[in-house]
Amino acid sequence: MQIGIDARLVYHQPAGISRYTRYLMRAISEINRDDDFIVFQHRRHTEPLISKPNFRRATLFAPVHTRLEQLMLPLELMRFSLDLLHSTDFIPPLHASLPTVITVHDLAFLHWPHFLTKDSAAYYGQIDRGVRRASHIIVPSESTKKDLIAQLGVPKNKVSVIYEAADGSFGPLPVEPTRRQVCQRYGLPDTFFLFVGTIEPRKNVDGLLRAFRHLLDKYNTDNVGLAIAGGRMAIRRSSGFDPQAEAGAQRVHVRARQRQRPPQALCRRTLPRSPCSLRRLRTAAPRSHGLRHADYRQQRQQPARSRRRCRPFGKP
């Protein structure tokens, strides 16, 4: 078989889905040497993501998370004789005829749509078309499988749960020597809470800081700290993240690196807070290729209001 793997997102975003894609290809290369794999990468990502005899790199010019993506992808994929395409970033090519497998990591964008940008809402708003188009769906947990079945009506036999393992570099270390070394290196107290992740609103770091402030005010915690480690998302500078204001500079230790700015399509203004439902997500981008509100077509069919000024009373 000749299998394609869509890895264009790796160029823009090294963590999250891109990390999953990298490790997945690495694991597949160790157990599958019979099939041929084509790794589709961004045109500026010239270095192959994996160097194995049955893996080769190919360029796709279709931009990720944009309106042009679904127009360009089917045309570009026609150049390759694929038996299967794995789209690791939720949405497959909706207008291509080849069989596809997609990975749906979660449905957080349906539960909390107010954290999405306008263009991200347009992209993830295609999820119901994506799950119908896909030949099979991979999810990392039973919870996501239940969400797909309950919220999008996906047949149970169309979804497979494949848990995501930790990288081989992770392993147990001696607790006390490691704790002393970490505390000495980063200036941490003997007892501390640890948060690891990107610093952005959907991670609720502000809530963590308020909870830590409450702990300091209400309980006798003289030698307890809070360590925050991760990348600060460039598009979330207005999130109000201020550890000094929320929990005090003496107890909060932040090791945050500024991540590279994502592509323009992912860096628009955030949506206003709204109830979590698929209908709210559909209204996020009514002019885009995403899902639309159920009443959107009826609204367009209503006659436009006349722009002529009213005639003065008494005149013909």
Side-chain angles (χ1 to χ4, degrees), residues 137-149:
I137 303 171
I138 297 173
V139 295
S141 67
E142 290 288 346
S143 176
T144 303
K145 180 177 181 178
K146 292 178 181 178
D147 282 347
L148 281 174
I149 296 171

Side-chain angles (χ1 to χ4, degrees), residues 143-211:
S143 176
T144 303
K145 180 177 181 178
K146 292 178 181 178
D147 282 347
L148 281 174
I149 296 171
Q151 298 192 36
L152 298 178
V154 179
K156 184 182 300 185
N157 59 358
K158 193 177 180 179
V159 186
S160 296
V161 179
I162 301 179
Y163 300 107
E164 298 173 3
D167 182 69
S169 60
F170 293 96
L173 296 173
V175 177
E176 283 304 316
T178 304
R179 185 185 61 80
R180 288 194 298 267
Q181 183 179 359
V182 170
C183 292
Q184 181 179 4
R185 180 174 180 179
Y186 296 105
L188 299 174
D190 293 336
T191 304
F192 60 91
F193 298 96
L194 175 63
F195 169 87
V196 180
T198 53
I199 301 174
E200 51 179 322
R202 67 190 183 96
K203 301 297 186 180
N204 197 24
V205 181
D206 293 339
L208 173 63
L209 293 172
R210 288 192 294 270

Side-chain angles (χ1 to χ4, degrees), residues 52-269:
K52 295 291 182 178
N54 58 331
F55 282 76
R56 69 181 179 92
R57 179 196 175 280
T59 298
L60 288 182
F61 291 88
V64 298
H65 293 207
T66 65
R67 299 182 183 182
L68 291 176
E69 183 176 31
Q70 290 300 329
L71 298 176
M72 296 177 61
L73 264 182
L75 299 177
E76 290 194 89
L77 292 174
M78 290 175 63
R79 298 187 292 117
F80 306 92
S81 300
L82 296 178
D83 298 307
L84 180 69
L85 175 69
H86 186 185
S87 298
T88 60
D89 188 17
F90 291 87
I91 310 300
L94 299 177
H95 307 293
S97 58
L98 74 159
T100 58
V101 172
I102 64 173
T103 301
V104 176
H105 302 271
D106 57 58
L107 293 183
F109 49 85
L110 295 184
H111 295 293
W112 299 282
H114 49 277
F115 287 136
L116 293 176
T117 64
K118 185 176 181 180
D119 292 296
S120 293
Y123 179 77
Y124 293 114
Q126 304 171 106
I127 187 62
D128 65 337
R129 298 170 61 192
V131 297
R132 289 198 305 267
R133 170 67 186 83
S135 304
H136 201 76
I137 303 171
I138 297 173
V139 295
S141 67
E142 290 288 346
S143 176
T144 303
K145 180 177 181 178
K146 292 178 181 178
D147 282 347
L148 281 174
I149 296 171
Q151 298 192 36
L152 298 178
V154 179
K156 184 182 300 185
N157 59 358
K158 193 177 180 179
V159 186
S160 296
V161 179
I162 301 179
Y163 300 107
E164 298 173 3
D167 182 69
S169 60
F170 293 96
L173 296 173
V175 177
E176 283 304 316
T178 304
R179 185 185 61 80
R180 288 194 298 267
Q181 183 179 359
V182 170
C183 292
Q184 181 179 4
R185 180 174 180 179
Y186 296 105
L188 299 174
D190 293 336
T191 304
F192 60 91
F193 298 96
L194 175 63
F195 169 87
V196 180
T198 53
I199 301 174
E200 51 179 322
R202 67 190 183 96
K203 301 297 186 180
N204 197 24
V205 181
D206 293 339
L208 173 63
L209 293 172
R210 288 192 294 270
F212 185 67
R213 177 75 270 175
H214 179 79
L215 176 69
L216 298 182
D217 294 339
K218 300 297 182 180
Y219 300 91
N220 184 17
T221 53
D222 295 333
N223 193 28
V224 176
L226 172 62
I228 299 176
R232 189 191 303 266
M233 292 293 286
I235 61 176
R236 303 301 190 187
R237 291 174 180 171
S238 60
S239 63
F241 175 74
D242 187 358
Q244 297 184 1
E246 293 288 353
Q250 300 299 323
R251 300 290 188 92
V252 180
H253 307 264
V254 182
R255 301 287 298 183
R257 54 181 175 81
Q258 186 69 43
R259 294 183 60 185
Q260 185 178 3
R261 188 176 182 86
Q264 185 66 22
L266 306 178
C267 302
R268 301 290 177 85
R269 60 186 182 278

